[in-house]
Amino acid sequence: MKRKINLIITILFIAVALLFWSRLGWDEGRRWIIFSVAAGALHLMLAVAGGRSHINAFEAPAAERAPERTPTELVLLDEEGKRITSWNIYGKNGLVIGRDTGENHVNVNLDQTAYAGMIDVEHAVLNYSGNNWYIEDISSQNGVSVQKRDGKKYRIAYGKPCRMEKGDIIHIGMTRLQLI
């Protein structure tokens, strides 16, 4: 957001310079035109040098990007493994996975999935700690399993967190969620 604001401020300074040039001409408005362009350039240089902005608005600065192996997205998969929907998990500390009944709060609402009847209201929790994501079964009825990237599937014991890696698939009942 700061990048966009800094870019808008710089564009406004340049627009003011163009306005002075169109209204007053170069001879009468030279001082204001130079001042506006210089102020815009100075603002942009200070913002970039101070790390508060980044010129390429499509690429996040290195400090804002997740490490390469860190999952940043949780994806709901269909039976063929295709993406149905996703949730951004980057920068979050924890997510409750379950079904939103209106009396509780879940971050990953699986109420509308095909196998919602097998998912408890608060079924599992994803926690971020020590640069790793962990899944924990907080319901004992239908359980949670994790399929690792090597294809092996593990049932998670109630109350025992399991470290997750990018590409792992979480099975909640018959519903599949993949960390990407």
Side-chain angles (χ1 to χ4, degrees):
M1 184 66 171
K2 289 181 181 180
R3 291 180 291 201
K4 290 180 182 176
I5 291 171
N6 286 326
L7 189 59
I8 290 170
I9 291 170
T10 302
I11 291 170
L12 285 173
F13 276 118
I14 293 171
V16 167
L18 290 172
L19 183 66
F20 280 126
W21 181 64
S22 69
R23 298 281 184 197
L24 302 175
W26 176 252
D27 293 335
E28 290 182 37
R30 175 181 14 192
R31 183 176 341 155
W32 295 108
I33 296 168
I34 292 171
F35 173 76
S36 296
V37 169
L42 180 64
H43 175 78
L44 188 61
M45 287 188 310
L46 289 175
V48 170
R52 294 187 312 264
S53 180
H54 195 277
I55 294 189
N56 186 350
F58 298 106
E59 180 182 336
E64 293 179 17
R65 278 184 256 148
E68 189 174 319
R69 296 181 316 175
T70 302
T72 58
E73 191 176 16
L74 184 65
V75 177
L76 177 63
L77 302 173
D78 66 10
E79 289 79 15
E80 289 86 36
K82 294 180 185 166
R83 172 189 297 247
I84 296 174
T85 190
S86 66
W87 295 266
N88 180 12
I89 62 172
Y90 181 66
K92 304 235 175 16
N93 293 327
L95 300 161
V96 177
I97 302 170
R99 292 182 296 116
D100 193 351
T101 62
E103 296 178 12
N104 65 327
H105 175 73
V106 295
N107 305 100
V108 179
N109 185 8
L110 301 175
D111 193 32
Q112 300 299 315
T113 60
Y115 303 106
M118 299 178 77
I119 300 169
D120 290 315
V121 174
E122 291 177 348
H123 199 108
V125 65
L126 263 175
N127 286 313
Y128 188 74
S129 176
N131 294 327
N132 291 302
W133 280 101
Y134 295 87
I135 185 79
E136 186 174 349
D137 182 1
I138 57 174
S139 134
S140 58
Q141 200 164 29
N142 289 315
V144 175
S145 297
V146 173
Q147 183 177 351
K148 297 303 231 172
R149 289 182 296 180
D150 63 4
K152 292 182 182 176
K153 191 173 176 181
Y154 303 91
R155 181 151 174 101
I156 306 303
Y158 175 75
K160 303 284 184 182
C162 174
R163 188 168 71 85
M164 301 294 295
E165 296 174 347
K166 202 171 199 173
D168 289 351
I169 298 175
I170 302 166
H171 294 261
I172 298 189
M174 298 291 288
T175 304
R176 298 182 316 149
L177 299 162
Q178 185 174 30
L179 285 171
I180 298 192

